[in-house]
Amino acid sequence: LTLPRCFSDLIETFRAQLRDDPDVASAVAAIRALLGFLKQDRGETIQGLRNSLRDAIDTLSRVDSSVAVSSGGELFLRFISLTSLEYSDYSKCKEIMIERGEIFLTKVSLSRNKIAKLCHPFIRDGARILTHAYSRVVLRVLEAAVESKKRFSVYVTESQPDEAGQKMAKALRKLNIPVTVILDAAVGYIMEKVDLVLVGAEGVVESGGIINKIGTNQIAVCAKAQNKPFYVVAESFKFVRLFPLNQQDVPDRFKYKADTLKTGQNLTEEHPWIDYTSPSLITLLFTDLGVLTPSAVSDELIKLYL
Amino acid sequence: GELMDLIRTEGQRMTAAQPSETTVGNMVRRVLKVIREEYGRLHGRSEESDQQESLHKLLTSGGLSEDFRTPYPSLRANVIEAINEMLIELEGTTDNIAMQALEHIHSNEVIMTIGYSRTVEAFLKEAARKRKFQVIVAECAPFCQGHEMAVRLSKENIETTVMSDAAIFAVMSRVNKVIIGTKTILANGALIAVSGTHTLALAAKHHSTPLIVCAPMFKLSPQFPNEEDSFHKFVSPQEVLPFTEGEILAKINVHCPVFDYVPPELITLFISNIGGNAPSYIYRLMSELYHPDDYEL
């Protein structure tokens, strides 16, 4: 399958961004790559632009099948549609789009700091926090808490199969936070010692639930059983238009890595990489739009897409 | 801009003086929102444009933020008029809530309440004019405000019973509804109410009895329950253990907290001057009353 030159440029830009700045969110990298694609697009009509963008987003999700890339792409497409509604002259429209795209990217890069500012007062002095796998937003929040002179300790789940927990523990040790890595199976055991659970999210769905690394649902259920608050931190571009009713409803293209999907083997043999946590288990969501209860999430999504 | 800064500084001083009185902060925030709205109206922005952060705004806005620099001479008059409207609304809140009483209380019901709340008193009195029901009042030690509530209710010929806080769970199986007032409503739908309310709420949940909270909108505060436990107020432990018991006082610690935290899952309905709402809807009411930039005064 030979891709047109512009698409391979797109993929290259995307990959390059992830390589150069490991801290950037994959959705932001995707949006930046799409903006670059938009700039050098030679089309003359909005329809043509939308079609080529759709193809571009498909190509990107074939490279990185995470929910965040998909939601970032959707958001960008929506952004294009909204702007195109306001201006009928194509070239002017394109200029405005590019300008707004840059502003959007600046705003979005500030979102992690906004979230950290909102979230760190919820971490008390002497708190014991449980977190899951590797999340850059959670890292930023904990960094902000350290900066405000709070003392706390963290338990991180190992998060098999890619041992993302170890990566998180290393990053936390650099911040001088006392860390303990625990087995994924030890969550039930450790829950009574913990004061609060703080996780990131790969995607936030319409019902207010989250899609995150496999194992999150277990942690949420244990936290509910022991009455511990379960906090989620996520940037607003991760809001996605899905409404899964159970685990099976999450589309396959998110559950497995892009390479596995391409080989087309029998997916029942594969382990999924993500799971869905229902909103009744979540206490609060911290986003750059503010501190939200799970019921407020669908309101935000409606405001955008309607 | 300057006006808002002035108000903000005054607001900070007032809330620092008595942090448990959240209504002071709430009112300051409402005034700030009024100023923003009036300014926006004069500045020529349409009513539609949403002041709130939203994904939509993220995508379509041209600039990053707006300042309130441009002076408008009529701004002052408009703001004063809007504040007067707000004052009229505030004065009518108890009546508005009481008007909804008939829909919620039915004949021959047993209602439970705790302590003394003017809003609940008005609510029950209004219902008593047309319906016959009984009220059980938990006395709410150590201040025993429940006694005063019972006296006032019985003056209106409502059959009232007073009981101690310890008996709440025992009596709960015979109660049809629990109606309480509160000190503050927090942003996630939780309550700060008199001490003893959490026990009442848990007992009600256990027996699946609906818990109705009557509170006017000015008690809605955009704070979340977090480390800034500034809402906790402790008073003299004299009420719990009087100073006459001198000898043992040296050996024990006595606390007398005034307020209790009730989580949102235990509450069924909020009745306020704008109608009945579920606790999960509180975030929406908050976005209508206050502007996000003002949450931190």
Side-chain angles (χ1 to χ4, degrees), chain B residues 33-273:
Chain B
K33 173 124 204 260
V34 159
I35 298 177
R36 277 174 212 264
E37 261 172 25
E38 293 299 328
Y39 183 86
R41 209 170 287 160
L42 286 173
H43 203 54
R45 257 187 307 124
S46 66
E47 293 284 333
E48 282 300 314
S49 76
D50 209 348
Q51 299 238 13
Q52 311 296 340
E53 285 286 337
S54 73
L55 282 178
H56 187 103
K57 189 157 167 272
L58 206 60
L59 294 184
T60 55
S61 65
L64 279 179
S65 72
E66 77 157 50
D67 61 6
F68 291 84
R69 288 292 133 79
T70 349
Y72 288 106
S74 56
L75 180 66
R76 192 163 171 193
N78 287 0
V79 170
I80 293 183
E81 197 186 310
I83 294 182
N84 281 331
E85 273 172 31
M86 203 161 67
L87 279 172
I88 298 176
E89 182 199 322
L90 287 178
E91 282 163 26
T93 51
T94 322
D95 292 327
N96 277 333
I97 294 177
M99 280 195 308
Q100 303 172 49
L102 282 176
E103 297 164 3
H104 297 280
I105 299 184
H106 311 293
S107 278
N108 286 332
E109 275 200 326
V110 180
I111 313 249
M112 180 179 278
T113 184
I114 187 169
Y116 174 57
S117 159
R118 281 175 301 229
T119 324
V120 176
E121 187 197 334
F123 193 79
L124 293 175
K125 277 185 184 165
E126 179 67 29
R129 295 197 302 138
K130 296 250 176 73
R131 307 246 196 275
K132 202 114 189 50
F133 54 90
Q134 298 178 32
V135 179
I136 302 181
V137 183
E139 67 177 2
C140 186
F143 303 104
C144 293
Q145 293 167 327
H147 296 175
E148 200 188 324
M149 178 74 150
V151 165
R152 283 173 186 243
L153 287 177
S154 52
K155 282 212 185 91
E156 302 290 320
N157 291 326
I158 303 176
E159 217 178 300
T160 324
T161 319
V162 180
M163 35 150 254
S164 73
D165 300 338
I168 289 179
F169 190 83
V171 182
M172 187 55 76
S173 47
R174 305 220 301 133
V175 173
N176 296 111
K177 286 198 172 73
V178 181
I179 303 184
I180 55 175
T182 174
K183 179 85 175 149
T184 309
I185 306 175
L186 294 174
N188 60 347
L191 298 182
I192 307 282
V194 286
S195 142
T197 317
H198 197 177
T199 324
L200 185 61
L202 284 171
K205 185 78 176 191
H206 185 268
H207 288 93
S208 296
T209 315
L211 179 72
I212 301 177
V213 180
C214 292
M217 270 293 115
F218 61 76
K219 287 192 175 162
L220 178 58
S221 171
Q223 292 153 334
F224 278 91
N226 57 17
E227 174 61 283
E228 270 67 74
D229 284 331
S230 47
F231 56 76
H232 271 315
K233 199 164 97 167
F234 288 85
V235 294
S236 153
Q238 156 84 344
E239 312 286 340
V240 178
L241 193 63
F243 291 125
T244 48
E245 314 263 343
E247 312 156 353
I248 51 175
L249 279 181
K251 301 188 191 129
I252 55 175
N253 275 325
V254 186
H255 293 291
C256 187
V258 181
F259 297 124
D260 228 353
Y261 171 78
V262 183
E265 301 84 54
L266 302 174
I267 304 167
T268 320
L269 187 68
F270 280 103
I271 296 182
S272 70
N273 45 315

Side-chain angles (χ1 to χ4, degrees), chain A residues 100 103 107 122 124 295-296 299, chain B residues 60-62 227 280 283-284:
Chain A
R100 284 201 188 157
I103 297 180
K107 268 199 209 165
F122 283 73
R124 296 164 207 251
S295 36
D299 213 29
Chain B
T60 55
S61 65
E227 174 61 283
S280 51
Y283 73 89
R284 188 48 178 259

